[in-house]
Amino acid sequence: MPFRLPAWTATLAWKAAAFIAVMCCALAALLGVLVHVAVTNQTVGQARERALTRLDDATKQYEAGGRLGPGAGIDPPGLPRRLRDLAVGGERGTMVGDHDDRPTVWAAGPADGGRAIAVQVDYAQGARTIDGLDRAIVGSSVLAIGATLLVGAFAVTRVTRRLHQTARVARRISAGDLDARVNDPRTHDEGRHQDEVATVSGALDTMASSLQGKLLSEQRFTADVAHELRTPLTGLHAAAELLPPGRPTELVRDRVATLRTLTEDLLEISRLDSRNERVELDAVLLAPLAERVVRASGAEVEVRVVRDIVAETDGRRLERVLGNLVGNALKHGAPPVSLTVDGPVITVRDHGPGFPGYLIEHGPQRFRTEGTTKGHGLGLTIALGQAEVLGAQLRFSNAGEAGGAVAVLTLPHVASPQSPPSS
């Protein structure tokens, strides 16, 4: 398996923190090196100057035949070999080294007889100064990096919090809540400069308002058309009843009935879209209700009762949902069709070709059907809308290799269980 970083490393806050930490470390390292080099050069340079000054004094004393002072001598023990070779060659030089486990700066020059005169200057204080400086640089760098990370994390968290809020609102809008808005205060103050997050939030709110306006306009149009069609269709239905018996009359009555059903469905969808429907809750025994739905369908539908319960729900709306599901299974599926009651879960199953892929993925869509299927796609839309009014969950799926469409309705507000009827 390829190595994958944890999911939290993909967040913007973590990436920003990592970037800030890397940049702070790089900057601290660069400044630390520059300060270390500068102070070291200055400290060592001063020690070298003191060593050369003492070497000049020792050389004068040696040439005058006087006694060399402490720390000076001819080929003293501990003199670095490279420095001695340099002095024997006729040149003067200095070198930082150790003598008796103490930092020492040596200075050496030529003496007679192929020897070297050398002095040593204690460098312990300078070394301690440089070590203390290095520790101070490391400590201050750690504190600076920590403080920068805290400030950066706070600033980035504020931005990511606004981004998360915008994402939540976008998901609510995609789920159908067109009233959701980000309402970033920065977008309402015209005299205030907007950052990129405020621009995105404002664009999302504008898009949601525009989308909501267009959908409301379409819903009003659908409701107005359906309402205006009711009166002429009522007259047309009455006129069709006066026609003499015959095949043409049957065709006219059938088409008029279809138009009336379509108009009533459109009006019901318009009421559902308005989200003003009110539920009339009552204690409903599910098994008898399912049997009434099957009898009203007038077809062979098997009713299975695994566990009957009394549910606190709106019986009229529940019958509407189950009636549409059974009607869809009879019209677009294939026998056998079954309706199963298992507590608050009611399942309608057929053995036809199953639901189309778009319906399972996105839900039923108005006036969209697959292939040569007859219908307007309104039955399942109404069933889903009424289920939402009831507070129930309606899910669509296919039975896999066994074939057939499966609609599962899960009811809330369970009141009390009932024993299943005896067979």
Side-chain angles (χ1 to χ4, degrees), residues 53-84:
T53 300
R54 292 191 59 186
L55 178 62
D56 291 338
D57 294 340
T59 302
K60 292 179 181 178
Q61 291 178 359
Y62 177 74
E63 291 176 350
R67 183 178 179 181
L68 298 179
I74 303 299
D75 291 336
L79 178 65
R81 183 176 183 82
R82 291 177 56 192
L83 182 60
R84 182 183 183 281

Side-chain angles (χ1 to χ4, degrees), residues 265 268 315-324 382 386:
D265 287 346
E268 185 173 359
R316 179 183 63 84
R317 296 184 187 276
L318 181 56
E319 286 191 26
R320 177 65 163 155
V321 174
L322 296 181
N324 282 15
I382 293 174
Q386 293 289 8

Side-chain angles (χ1 to χ4, degrees), residues 45-60 92 94 107 119 121:
Q46 292 175 353
R48 290 179 187 274
E49 290 179 359
R50 291 198 303 271
L52 290 175
T53 300
R54 292 191 59 186
L55 178 62
D56 291 338
D57 294 340
T59 302
K60 292 179 181 178
R92 298 198 313 168
T94 59
V119 297
V121 176

Side-chain angles (χ1 to χ4, degrees), residues 181-198:
R181 298 291 185 275
V182 180
N183 287 327
D184 193 325
R186 297 167 180 78
T187 61
H188 303 297
D189 188 357
E190 296 181 355
R192 184 176 182 179
H193 295 293
Q194 297 184 9
D195 58 9
E196 289 78 1
V197 180

Side-chain angles (χ1 to χ4, degrees), residues 43-330:
T43 305
V44 173
Q46 292 175 353
R48 290 179 187 274
E49 290 179 359
R50 291 198 303 271
L52 290 175
T53 300
R54 292 191 59 186
L55 178 62
D56 291 338
D57 294 340
T59 302
K60 292 179 181 178
Q61 291 178 359
Y62 177 74
E63 291 176 350
R67 183 178 179 181
L68 298 179
I74 303 299
D75 291 336
L79 178 65
R81 183 176 183 82
R82 291 177 56 192
L83 182 60
R84 182 183 183 281
D85 293 340
L86 180 69
V88 172
E91 297 183 7
R92 298 198 313 168
T94 59
M95 179 178 291
V96 178
D98 291 329
H99 182 65
D100 295 335
D101 296 329
R102 292 179 62 85
T104 303
V105 176
W106 291 90
D112 56 353
R115 296 179 299 174
I117 182 172
V119 297
Q120 56 180 347
V121 176
D122 186 45
Y123 185 62
Q125 181 63 36
R128 285 194 296 268
T129 300
I130 295 175
D131 291 340
L133 176 65
D134 291 340
R135 288 192 295 271
I137 291 175
V138 173
S140 60
S141 298
V142 172
L143 291 177
I145 293 173
T148 306
L149 280 176
L150 290 177
V151 175
F154 174 75
V156 173
T157 302
R158 292 189 61 187
V159 175
T160 55
R161 188 184 301 116
R162 293 165 59 198
L163 288 175
H164 284 308
Q165 180 184 0
T166 303
R168 285 194 297 269
V169 172
R171 284 191 290 267
R172 288 173 56 189
I173 294 174
S174 64
D177 184 8
L178 298 182
D179 293 325
R181 298 291 185 275
V182 180
N183 287 327
D184 193 325
R186 297 167 180 78
T187 61
H188 303 297
D189 188 357
E190 296 181 355
R192 184 176 182 179
H193 295 293
Q194 297 184 9
D195 58 9
E196 289 78 1
V197 180
T199 302
V200 173
S201 302
L204 179 63
D205 287 348
T206 302
M207 180 198 69
S209 299
S210 176
L211 180 60
Q212 185 179 37
K214 291 180 180 180
L215 288 178
L216 291 176
S217 177
E218 292 179 1
Q219 292 171 4
R220 285 194 298 268
F221 175 76
T222 301
D224 293 342
V225 169
H227 182 76
E228 294 298 328
L229 285 175
R230 294 185 72 179
T231 301
L233 282 175
T234 301
L236 187 60
H237 177 74
E241 293 297 327
L242 299 177
L243 294 176
R247 180 60 180 168
T249 299
E250 294 178 0
L251 292 176
V252 171
R253 291 176 180 175
D254 178 69
R255 294 299 90 192
V256 171
T258 301
L259 284 175
R260 291 190 66 182
T261 302
L262 176 60
T263 302
E264 294 298 329
D265 287 346
L266 289 175
L267 284 174
E268 185 173 359
I269 289 177
S270 299
R271 291 193 297 269
L272 293 172
D273 286 338
S274 66
R275 299 184 182 275
N276 294 324
E277 296 288 270
R278 295 293 180 266
V279 179
E280 298 179 2
L281 297 178
D282 195 7
V284 178
L285 193 59
L286 296 184
L289 184 143
E291 293 173 354
R292 287 198 303 271
V293 170
V294 171
R295 286 196 300 270
S297 68
E300 291 292 333
V301 178
E302 180 184 4
V303 179
R304 301 173 183 171
V305 181
V306 178
R307 180 168 59 96
D308 195 9
I309 62 169
V310 174
E312 186 180 356
T313 186
D314 190 326
R316 179 183 63 84
R317 296 184 187 276
L318 181 56
E319 286 191 26
R320 177 65 163 155
V321 174
L322 296 181
N324 282 15
L325 294 179
V326 171
N328 183 81
L330 293 172

